[in-house]
Amino acid sequence: MNCSVHSDYHQMSEFAANEILSVLAANPKATLCLATGDTPLLTYQLLVEKIIRQKIKISQIHFVGLDEWVGVPHTNPGSCHYFLHKNIFTPLNVNLKNIHLFDALSANLADECKKMNELIDRLQGIDLMLVGIGRNGHIGFNEPGDAENNFAHISQLDPLTIEVGQKYFTETIHLQKGLTLGLAHFYAARKVMMMANGIKKKEIVKKTLEYPISTQVPATLIRKHQNAILIIDKDASGQE
Ligand code: GLP
């Protein structure tokens, strides 16, 4: 794992957007898995600008969802679905056939997971997985203590995830479960980018770098990945 520390949120987002562009340049048929959340928002805005300005062809790029809140409709602005459409797919006019997201309202959630696993196999794996870090160290909705060999699965959300997750919603919402790609997908991704910024992530970044590698702090698993980069700003790094 490499660690890339930047002076501020804007610099780290520029760096991350350029990293994504280099994956697209190397493989115009790449499969990307892009996290939602506050952390990667500016990265996506810069990425969209660059793709449009540089006229980069993305018609063969496939996008798979990382996670979703069970029971939240995709029309809700707090859903991962809504976030990805608003910030990436709509501005880039991505063909719907290239977008593969969890249906969090499905009557058969286990089948949703099975379909996602089969799809990722059909796409021959994930070329780039960009993830954030939850305050408890979760990756997607792989919560502390979840199995390391999981593929897509239904996750029982940690109390801290439920509490922090309210920030994405304007209304009070009942969150209990999530659908998520598993840590086995994380390991298998050909490249992983993990991002964190701001003082509020300082403690979990320290644990990510220093705690024993274990699913008790899922983010520590990045240290075992063969081709991973942790992208953080100075505030999250704890440097003065
Ligand atoms: C959320 C999502 C993750 C995200 C993480 C960090 O709950 N499930 O995919 O990466 O927590 O979110 P944020 O970037 O808003 O801090």
Side-chain angles (χ1 to χ4, degrees):
M1 180 203 76
N2 288 314
C3 184
S4 177
V5 185
H6 300 267
S7 54
D8 58 29
Y9 179 58
H10 196 278
Q11 291 302 320
M12 72 177 251
S13 304
E14 271 287 344
F15 177 85
N18 288 334
E19 284 287 300
I20 301 171
L21 285 183
S22 66
V23 170
L24 300 184
N27 180 5
K29 293 183 177 181
T31 294
L32 310 185
C33 172
L34 303 177
T36 58
D38 294 335
T39 311
L41 185 57
L42 182 57
T43 299
Y44 299 155
Q45 288 166 349
L46 295 169
L47 177 71
V48 165
E49 267 174 42
K50 287 170 195 275
I51 287 176
I52 293 172
R53 199 170 350 108
Q54 295 173 31
K55 298 189 171 61
I56 294 167
K57 277 221 167 21
I58 56 149
S59 57
Q60 297 188 85
I61 300 294
H62 281 262
F63 296 86
V64 298
L66 173 64
D67 52 13
E68 188 56 279
W69 307 98
V70 167
V72 175
H74 64 75
T75 47
N76 187 318
S79 70
C80 301
H81 186 114
Y82 191 99
F83 175 101
L84 291 169
H85 274 272
K86 178 175 179 225
N87 296 302
I88 303 176
F89 305 148
T90 303
L92 289 179
N93 205 11
V94 176
N95 194 321
L96 289 181
K97 75 171 176 42
N98 290 11
I99 301 173
H100 316 279
L101 305 179
F102 286 112
D103 174 5
L105 294 185
S106 168
N108 190 341
L109 295 174
D111 194 52
E112 267 309 289
C113 296
K114 186 167 170 270
K115 279 194 296 195
M116 189 59 100
N117 289 334
E118 287 168 358
L119 172 89
I120 291 172
D121 284 349
R122 262 205 316 282
L123 292 170
Q124 293 173 350
I126 295 168
D127 293 289
L128 171 68
M129 192 167 189
L130 186 158
V131 299
I133 316 181
R135 293 237 308 271
N136 60 1
H138 72 207
I139 296 174
F141 283 136
N142 292 274
E143 300 285 23
D146 283 0
E148 221 172 318
N149 56 359
N150 262 340
F151 287 94
H153 62 282
I154 305 161
S155 155
Q156 186 63 49
L157 299 177
D158 186 82
L160 184 60
T161 302
I162 293 172
E163 186 193 319
V164 175
Q166 296 293 331
K167 70 174 174 167
Y168 305 117
F169 299 92
T170 49
E171 72 287 12
T172 307
I173 189 144
H174 177 69
L175 303 171
Q176 194 191 356
K177 291 183 177 168
L179 291 175
T180 186
L181 298 192
L183 294 172
H185 285 124
F186 177 79
Y187 284 129
R190 285 183 270 280
K191 180 181 175 90
V192 161
M193 290 164 62
M194 180 180 276
M195 299 181 71
N197 70 289
I199 293 282
K200 62 187 185 310
K201 293 288 172 76
K202 185 172 130 180
E203 200 183 312
I204 193 59
V205 165
K206 188 170 160 57
K207 288 182 182 171
T208 299
L209 293 171
E210 295 176 5
Y211 267 37
I213 299 174
S214 131
T215 58
Q216 290 310 315
V217 182
T220 58
L221 302 179
I222 192 174
R223 283 155 46 205
K224 280 210 292 197
H225 197 285
Q226 298 298 312
N227 185 21
I229 180 160
L230 176 65
I231 303 168
I232 55 179
D233 70 356
K234 220 164 147 235
D235 286 345
S237 76
Q239 288 174 14
E240 293 304 315

